[in-house]
Amino acid sequence: MSDFLWGAATAAYQIEGAVDEDGRGESIWDRFCATPGKVRAGETGSIACDFYHRYPEDIALMRELGIDAFRFSVAWPRVIPEGRGAVNDAGLDFYDRLVDELLAAGIQPFPTLYHWDLPQRLEDEGGWTARSTAEAFVPYAEAVVGRLGDRVTHWTTHNEPWVVAWLGYGWGEHAPGRTSEQDAVDAAHHVLLSHGWAADVIRRDVPDARVGIVLNLEHVDPATGSEADAAAAREVDGRANRWFLDPIFRGAYPEDVDLKPPVRDGDLAAVGARIDFLGINNYFRFVVREGPEIVEVPGGTRTDMGWEVHPESLYKLLRRVADEYAPPSIYITENGAAYADVRSHDGGVHDLERIDFLATHTDAVMRARDDGVPVDGYFVWSFLDNFEWAQGYAKRFGIVYVDYPTLERVPKDSFHWYRQRIESLQRV
Ligand code: GCO
């Protein structure tokens, strides 16, 4: 079991704060948050968890937790404030210090190059619907890899292209808040294309690099045994899962999905180039009936996001991805749950539901591993309570509670549970 990595995950805009420091440029999330009505209660990531300043204290907590690896993302607007052009060394310095501090604590850094904070300047020029944004991603990747590649081996290009495309460009729920299906399809293709191009650069510049991409994937169940529901489930699976898995592992978009990506010659070869690992983010399954319509199954337990708790679906998802796509290695790069946590009179945070969620989901992962799925690590989402995008600070996913007025960190009971779980499995 010793080669299995236990980790915790975060993302730049959700934790860093310090949005105006050391030359950082504006991101689409700064702009989106400043637009009335987009984010709950007008909240923003401008302070967030203040990780930008408090990372040494947080890494000390990670060390106490005993994690092997820490997943974070690099903010493009810190590194290249205008999206393309001049590199801002002060922005890179932050990630340089972070990596050193992690390594000194014996924790492996797992950076993601893009976790949704596009420089606003690039959005003004078309954002991910423009091929030029994919082109701009390459020198950005080069700048980050050039600085950190001597110490970082595991590189993730993108986090959840589906969310970038559909929530950002299709449905307007995330930055940049556009609402066009074709924009979403174009954005998804350019994100995947930039993944392929950046993967090349990472391999060129970091000889022992392990390169991957993170997808949000969901197991899909038809609501009944009817043929119509089965067809509806297949349709949802096509758009949510296969639209991303197929080009990455087979170099082709699924033919049964009626969307028109802006593919040019050579694109699919770039997208479909070998990856070393697939990152899977998973929070729930879909239950689908004719329509297609996603339905709520009565009686299940739900998190504070309203998401059904269904660990068996994570097991099935892992088996299916391994059987159909055969990735050389899989990391669960996010899995976790929001609950309405409060600090008790004794000062602690007794998040028993989260412990149950994490226990049943890590069991499902280990069972898949025992059954031959090459899953090599698990990252809990999230290390800290943080800025949950359009939901602001209302949803708490952390195993460490953040008291936002004071920014005090309070390890929840799930933190102590996770520490023990890691400790006991490391001994196996
Ligand atoms: C994701 C997101 C996270 C969210 C989490 C909970 O990659 O989906 O990275 O940023 O906070 O998923 O909704």
Side-chain angles (χ1 to χ4, degrees):
M1 239 9 117
S2 55
D3 52 347
F4 189 87
L5 293 183
W6 292 97
T10 59
Y13 191 75
Q14 296 183 272
I15 61 166
E16 287 178 0
V19 292
D20 290 322
E21 278 179 59
D22 298 330
R24 178 184 176 279
E26 188 189 13
S27 84
I28 56 174
W29 272 95
D30 300 302
R31 183 71 64 92
F32 194 70
C33 290
T35 309
K38 297 297 185 192
V39 175
R40 186 193 161 275
E43 288 168 338
T44 80
S46 61
I47 299 172
C49 307
D50 195 32
F51 181 77
Y52 193 79
H53 299 111
R54 291 169 198 250
Y55 71 92
E57 174 195 331
D58 288 330
I59 291 171
L61 261 185
M62 291 176 208
R63 187 176 202 156
E64 191 183 320
L65 180 60
I67 49 176
D68 305 299
F70 176 59
R71 178 169 181 249
F72 59 96
S73 76
V74 177
W76 188 344
R78 286 198 195 282
V79 176
I80 304 188
E82 302 290 313
R84 67 180 96 238
V87 172
N88 174 37
D89 283 323
L92 281 172
D93 290 346
F94 169 65
Y95 299 104
D96 212 332
R97 293 193 297 273
L98 175 60
V99 162
D100 280 345
E101 188 93 11
L102 286 167
L103 290 172
I107 298 167
Q108 197 177 324
F110 255 67
T112 300
L113 289 173
Y114 188 76
H115 200 128
W116 311 351
D117 42 0
L118 187 72
Q120 178 63 39
R121 185 65 177 270
L122 292 181
E123 177 57 27
D124 296 341
E125 296 169 12
W128 285 109
T129 64
R131 198 172 170 94
S132 55
T133 294
E135 288 160 2
F137 190 66
V138 176
Y140 159 60
E142 270 169 340
V144 179
V145 164
R147 181 67 89 85
L148 306 178
D150 58 337
R151 284 153 291 159
V152 172
T153 52
H154 284 71
W155 290 89
T156 297
T157 53
H158 280 280
N159 180 71
E160 303 190 350
W162 181 91
V163 172
V164 174
W166 288 97
L167 295 191
Y169 290 85
W171 302 341
E173 293 170 19
H174 278 186
R178 291 207 243 162
T179 51
S180 142
E181 175 165 298
Q182 191 57 49
D183 283 353
V185 174
D186 293 354
H189 181 66
H190 294 138
V191 167
L192 289 177
L193 187 58
S194 73
H195 150 76
W197 289 342
D200 260 4
V201 160
I202 298 167
R203 279 190 219 292
R204 185 196 66 202
D205 294 353
V206 185
D208 53 350
R210 314 274 300 153
V211 185
I213 185 169
V214 167
L215 301 179
N216 55 302
L217 300 175
E218 290 83 25
H219 174 72
V220 184
D221 281 320
T224 71
S226 76
E227 238 166 63
D229 286 359
R234 183 158 175 81
E235 194 178 331
V236 167
D237 181 58
R239 287 183 171 229
N241 298 322
R242 289 183 286 115
W243 191 257
F244 299 90
L245 287 164
D246 281 20
I248 287 168
F249 289 102
R250 298 175 181 166
Y253 285 105
E255 273 170 15
D256 63 313
V257 180
D258 185 23
L259 297 172
K260 301 270 172 294
V263 177
R264 294 193 193 166
D265 277 358
D267 285 7
L268 290 170
V271 175
R274 173 183 65 88
I275 53 173
D276 300 302
F277 66 89
L278 174 68
I280 296 179
N281 291 354
N282 177 258
Y283 292 91
F284 48 77
R285 65 166 172 165
F286 288 131
V287 180
V288 180
R289 86 168 157 234
E290 191 174 358
E293 191 193 340
I294 291 174
V295 294
E296 282 200 4
V297 180
T301 20
R302 291 183 180 275
T303 71
D304 198 31
M305 298 293 279
W307 297 341
E308 183 196 10
V309 178
H310 206 265
E312 182 64 16
S313 289
L314 177 53
Y315 174 82
K316 288 182 180 164
L317 173 72
L318 285 167
R319 288 294 298 265
R320 182 254 179 130
V321 169
D323 290 349
E324 292 182 23
Y325 296 95
S329 168
I330 296 174
Y331 293 98
I332 300 298
T333 34
E334 289 180 26
N335 175 246
Y339 289 105
D341 301 315
V342 288
R343 243 179 133 171
S344 309
H345 293 175
D346 62 8
V349 179
H350 306 307
D351 56 338
L352 302 180
E353 300 100 324
R354 183 174 292 99
I355 292 175
D356 190 58
F357 184 100
L358 296 177
T360 53
H361 284 77
T362 52
D363 280 351
V365 171
M366 296 326 255
R367 192 152 57 85
R369 181 172 157 94
D370 290 343
D371 293 346
V373 175
V375 51
D376 294 319
Y378 176 93
F379 293 74
V380 61
W381 183 271
S382 180
F383 183 62
L384 300 169
D385 289 340
N386 61 49
F387 178 74
E388 178 58 21
W389 309 111
Q391 310 262 13
Y393 295 96
K395 303 297 178 195
R396 292 181 177 273
F397 274 91
I399 56 173
V400 176
Y401 181 91
V402 177
D403 179 40
Y404 290 111
T406 62
L407 294 169
E408 186 191 349
R409 273 66 165 152
V410 183
K412 301 179 190 178
D413 287 359
S414 57
F415 174 101
H416 300 294
W417 174 86
Y418 195 45
R419 180 167 52 73
Q420 280 165 12
R421 167 118 212 181
I422 293 171
E423 217 178 64
S424 63
L425 285 170
Q426 277 167 343
R427 276 196 249 104
V428 174

